Amino acid sequence: MSSQLSKQDLYESVKTLVESDAQLIHLAQHKLYTLFSVAFQYMLFRSTKEAGAYIIRVQDAKLAQKLARKSKDESTRKFLQQLQIPRKIKYGKSTFYLDFFNIASWNLTKNLNPANIKGSIIVRDTTEESPVKQIMALQAEAAMNEAILEGREEEDIKIDIPELPEDFYFSHLVEASPKSIFIAFDEVLEEGVLEPFNPTAINFPFIKKDVQKTISGVTISNDLDWDKIDE
């Protein structure tokens, strides 16, 4: 495991989040596993003050597994490892849920009383296609396959998939949650997506900008993030 988040940096970062009265906080720096550790430890702290449901929504199971392996403090890694299979864990008087940008995985959280939702963390890999577009494509493919199995001719099949807003995985949860932290993996979301929700961007000073130098035609980063290299 590469360099861990120091207790002092973790404490100061969580304190910054505690002191923010923003409903939606946007973390867009390049240290994904560090940002997730800070966000998760904040939600753990919040859950001891405001009991209820806390939702962690991650792009997919692969990214969730990476977070469980590579987050920058041991307690976050252990908690997320335990959350992988049941996707629902009691912590004190609160309950933490894990779901993905997939409507099928929302069965665990879709019927929660919005009044019981006290916080959420949403982690998106912005290098991937819109999650809702992926969901709708999969739904259309499944409906087509079912119709073909029923013996209907392909040219006669009409697929009626309800349109969902492209940010549905995000918007309906943020609207229900009194405190949400959005972490954009690798790059900032396309312009305009967050504005309707009046986000507050927070940068942590101990995370330095990625500065690059070119030496003999080779570009070397001063802040090479080895965490992003898969094992």
Side-chain angles (χ1 to χ4, degrees):
M1 183 64 59
S2 59
S3 60
Q4 297 297 285
L5 184 57
S6 74
K7 291 182 179 180
Q8 184 63 29
D9 285 338
L10 181 58
Y11 171 80
E12 293 294 340
S13 300
V14 170
K15 182 172 180 286
T16 297
L17 297 181
V18 169
E19 292 173 348
S20 172
D21 58 2
Q23 179 182 354
L24 172 61
I25 294 172
H26 185 202
L27 304 181
Q29 290 171 286
H30 63 290
K31 296 285 189 177
L32 170 67
Y33 306 113
T34 297
L35 294 177
F36 184 79
S37 280
V38 172
F40 186 75
Q41 290 299 318
Y42 164 75
M43 287 299 175
L44 280 183
F45 173 79
R46 181 179 172 85
S47 73
T48 64
K49 306 299 180 183
E50 295 188 52
Y54 288 81
I55 299 173
I56 304 169
R57 181 163 293 171
V58 180
Q59 180 92 8
D60 51 34
K62 181 179 178 181
L63 182 54
Q65 290 165 3
K66 285 185 179 181
L67 292 170
R69 294 199 319 269
K70 299 184 177 184
S71 291
K72 293 303 183 178
D73 72 289
E74 186 176 6
S75 65
T76 295
R77 292 194 299 272
K78 285 184 176 180
F79 197 108
L80 210 58
Q81 287 164 8
Q82 294 174 1
L83 193 55
Q84 294 287 314
I85 301 302
R87 302 218 308 265
K88 176 182 176 181
I89 286 182
K90 289 284 290 183
Y91 181 76
K93 296 181 179 180
S94 295
T95 304
F96 280 76
Y97 298 84
L98 172 67
D99 68 21
F100 310 114
F101 297 176
N102 185 321
I103 290 177
S105 80
W106 297 349
N107 290 332
L108 202 62
T109 56
K110 68 180 181 180
N111 294 322
L112 290 175
N113 183 344
N116 291 338
I117 299 175
K118 300 301 180 184
S120 65
I121 302 173
I122 307 167
V123 189
R124 178 183 171 189
D125 180 351
T126 55
T127 63
E128 298 289 338
E129 184 183 25
S130 163
V132 171
K133 285 183 179 178
Q134 294 180 33
I135 292 167
M136 293 176 67
L138 290 171
Q139 287 181 315
E141 181 181 358
M144 176 67 76
N145 290 338
E146 183 178 351
I148 292 173
L149 287 174
E150 291 173 355
R152 293 152 61 189
E153 295 296 330
E154 189 168 337
E155 59 269 18
D156 296 330
I157 297 171
K158 182 180 179 182
I159 305 299
D160 185 19
I161 301 296
E163 287 287 333
L164 294 173
E166 286 194 22
D167 63 350
F168 183 73
Y169 73 94
F170 170 86
S171 58
H172 80 284
L173 182 54
V174 171
E175 288 167 358
S177 176
K179 196 76 171 188
S180 295
I181 298 177
F182 186 85
I183 304 174
F185 177 32
D186 253 357
E187 59 187 63
V188 178
L189 274 178
E190 55 271 19
E191 185 178 355
V193 171
L194 295 179
E195 276 75 358
F197 303 98
N198 192 29
T200 294
I202 291 180
N203 292 327
F204 301 115
F206 73 92
I207 299 179
K208 306 304 180 184
K209 288 186 177 181
D210 189 10
V211 179
Q212 295 183 336
K213 291 181 179 178
T214 300
I215 304 175
S216 300
V218 179
T219 300
I220 301 175
S221 171
N222 285 348
D223 195 11
L224 183 61
D225 194 356
W226 291 102
D227 298 331
K228 292 183 181 177
I229 300 177
D230 289 338
E231 289 132 354

